[in-house]
Amino acid sequence: MAPSLEEPTGLADIASGLRTAPKLVAPEPGPESQTAGQSSACAGCPNQSICASAPKGPDPDIALITSRLASVRHKILVLSGKGGVGKSTFTTMLAHGFASDPDIQVGIMDTDICGPSIPKMMGVEAETIHISNAGWSPVWVSDNLSVMSVQFMLPNRDDAVIWRGPKKNGLIKQFLKDVEWGPLDVMLIDTPPGTSDEHLSVNTFLKECRVDGAIIVTGPQEVSLLDVRKEIDFCRKAGIRIMGLVENMSGFVCPKCTHETQIFAATTGGAARLAKEMDIPFLGKVPLDPRIGMACDYGESFFEHFPDSPACNALRRVLETIGNEMKLHADDLDV
């Protein structure tokens, strides 16, 4: 008997249900809820007993964080959906670019607890944290550029940080609450890839502070853009303003013949097309340059040593856009 080609009864309703966008907001009540640790959604969570016994209500440390960061004019998150797109490298170059103006005070907070690479890139890997009555002192790269990272606390540079979420969150809170940042014009918060504990913690702890927004770094290939779409969705759901999208490692310009080669091809239009689709600003393309990697390995400023390179010119345009938006002295940046 031949199979029927008629649509089975009720199939349209089933398909309609499958096309419905899933609710991506987690059903857990959250640690501040009165039912924290007691809801059925908390069953199986390793922190269930901690949440159930902890004091309920707003975190009292948020007021302390707000007070501590009152002298920080601008706070910028640097995010990426995919690892390996050069987000931390971009953060360091952005910091060096802003700090090239001696009148601009810059700080970097490294919240990548398991993979802290900022100290190495800034040339301060061997430094340690000093504690005084005022709090923890950040490590100074120059007179107007400071850094705080878990790397400064490790007894050995190769020691692994094997922590669960609550311990990571506690350290991030200390970076915000206990570090004597002093007056800063710009604080750059370098985050690990993804949309997990560190990102949620930073957003929660800074909810009373005015965060300027997030810069999202991506590569040109679709594999990177796939995760960046999730990062954009995270920012919108968390109420974080997106300052713009940067396409890093966008082509390679030969330093001898200046011919440009697309090593990572933008098979679906790259970051520019994604920014247009998502209706967010596109800050520009930064090309590959092997000298950037060398500068990071030696902890030196790429801007200072190669100011006329194509990558530096591209980064200068990003700096000017961000600086003008924050009303910094972007036209005077000596980059």
Side-chain angles (χ1 to χ4, degrees):
M1 179 178 178
S4 173
L5 298 179
E6 296 180 0
E7 185 181 71
T9 305
L11 185 60
D13 295 336
I14 296 175
S16 175
L18 293 176
R19 287 194 294 267
T20 304
K23 295 182 179 180
L24 299 180
V25 179
E28 290 79 4
E32 298 177 2
S33 171
Q34 295 296 327
T35 60
Q38 303 171 13
S39 170
S40 59
C42 300
C45 176
N47 301 317
Q48 181 177 6
S49 60
I50 298 175
C51 291
S53 59
K56 304 299 188 294
D59 189 342
D61 287 333
I62 290 181
L64 299 177
I65 292 172
T66 303
S67 175
R68 174 71 85 175
L69 301 182
S71 58
V72 179
R73 290 177 57 198
H74 301 285
K75 309 167 194 70
I76 301 175
L77 302 176
V78 183
L79 308 174
S80 71
K82 176 69 71 178
V85 298
K87 171 186 51 58
S88 295
T89 301
F90 179 81
T91 300
T92 60
M93 291 193 291
L94 203 62
H96 279 302
F98 280 127
S100 63
D101 185 340
D103 294 329
I104 296 179
Q105 296 290 325
V106 184
I108 303 178
M109 189 176 81
D110 184 5
T111 64
D112 195 341
I113 306 301
C114 295
S117 55
I118 294 292
K120 175 69 174 179
M121 295 179 178
M122 302 302 288
V124 290
E125 187 182 20
E127 300 294 328
T128 57
I129 296 174
H130 300 281
I131 302 177
S132 65
N133 291 334
W136 297 358
S137 298
V139 172
W140 290 91
V141 179
S142 61
D143 291 339
N144 63 331
L145 177 55
S146 59
V147 176
M148 178 55 68
S149 172
V150 70
Q151 182 68 41
F152 302 135
M153 303 176 178
L154 301 181
N156 188 302
R157 56 174 284 181
D158 296 328
D159 287 348
V161 179
I162 309 172
W163 289 355
R164 293 187 185 274
K167 200 164 185 179
K168 292 181 184 179
N169 300 343
L171 182 62
I172 291 173
K173 179 185 285 189
Q174 285 189 281
F175 282 173
L176 294 168
K177 178 173 66 75
D178 296 335
V179 174
E180 181 60 31
W181 290 101
L184 292 179
D185 293 295
V186 181
M187 173 185 280
L188 299 173
I189 303 174
D190 186 58
T191 63
T195 56
S196 192
D197 289 316
E198 294 87 343
H199 310 79
L200 294 171
S201 296
V202 169
N203 189 49
T204 299
F205 297 147
L206 294 180
K207 65 182 180 181
E208 298 298 333
C209 302
R210 191 183 68 84
V211 178
D212 289 72
I215 299 173
I216 302 178
V217 182
T218 181
Q221 65 273 41
E222 177 59 24
V223 171
S224 178
L225 298 174
L226 180 67
D227 289 339
V228 166
R229 291 184 181 91
K230 297 178 176 66
E231 197 78 38
I232 294 171
D233 186 54
F234 164 78
C235 288
R236 288 173 172 170
K237 288 178 177 176
I240 301 172
R241 186 172 72 92
I242 300 174
M243 301 180 71
L245 185 63
V246 175
E247 183 176 286
N248 199 24
M249 301 186 290
S250 179
F252 168 70
V253 180
C254 177
K256 294 185 178 180
C257 68
T258 69
H259 176 72
E260 183 175 354
T261 302
Q262 297 299 325
I263 296 178
F264 301 112
T267 55
T268 58
R273 180 175 176 179
L274 176 62
K276 185 177 180 180
E277 291 175 356
M278 293 291 202
D279 193 25
I280 60 177
F282 179 61
L283 298 178
K285 301 179 179 182
V286 180
L288 279 166
D289 192 323
R291 296 172 296 184
I292 294 177
M294 292 178 61
C296 291
D297 284 347
Y298 288 104
E300 298 180 356
S301 171
F302 178 75
F303 276 115
E304 181 179 344
H305 293 283
F306 307 103
D308 298 325
S309 65
C312 195
N313 291 332
L315 284 161
R316 185 182 294 112
R317 291 190 289 270
V318 175
L319 276 168
E320 290 175 352
T321 301
I322 299 171
N324 287 331
E325 183 174 347
M326 297 188 301
K327 296 182 173 56
L328 292 175
H329 311 299
D331 294 336
D332 299 327
L333 292 176
D334 185 19
V335 296

